Amino acid sequence: MANDQDNSRASQRTDPGWKHCYPMDESNLNTAVYNYCGKVMKGGVTRAKEYLMAKNGNVASCTKTPQNVREELWKLFKEKTNNLLHQSDC
């Protein structure tokens, strides 16, 4: 039964940002550990992506994030923003 719970929790992590960090505790996806610097920070995957992509505003920037990862996250962010803008135009 524990295996079913683990699979269920893993399925909650569908955001592409999770491949660059992991939850400190599978039962609490609000606290992430970053693959590149090992920092632990609360705020979930949205805050994690902002930290890794060096987005101004809510968080500081990770200085150890590889450039290709930063570019990938910015691309995903822009695609999501464009999709949201097009949905609101309808």
Side-chain angles (χ1 to χ4, degrees):
M1 185 158 155
N3 195 17
D4 290 339
Q5 289 176 345
D6 291 342
N7 289 338
S8 174
R9 288 182 188 127
S11 69
Q12 292 175 350
R13 294 189 286 141
T14 58
D15 191 291
W18 282 116
K19 66 183 178 182
H20 305 291
C21 61
Y22 57 93
M24 187 169 192
D25 176 3
E26 284 291 335
S27 66
N28 178 6
L29 300 181
N30 192 46
T31 304
V33 181
Y34 301 97
N35 295 348
Y36 309 108
C37 65
K39 183 174 182 172
V40 177
M41 190 162 49
K42 291 186 183 274
V45 73
T46 300
R47 188 174 177 111
K49 290 185 292 187
E50 291 175 351
Y51 171 70
L52 293 170
M53 65 196 271
K55 184 175 182 278
N56 290 333
N58 294 332
V59 295
S61 304
C62 178
T63 59
K64 297 183 179 182
T65 304
Q67 186 62 33
N68 64 320
V69 171
R70 213 166 269 205
E71 291 168 1
E72 173 192 346
L73 293 172
W74 272 108
K75 181 181 176 190
L76 290 168
F77 174 77
K78 289 175 183 176
E79 287 173 1
K80 185 175 181 178
T81 302
N82 285 336
N83 288 341
L84 290 174
L85 288 174
H86 285 95
Q87 286 177 359
S88 66
D89 289 342
C90 295

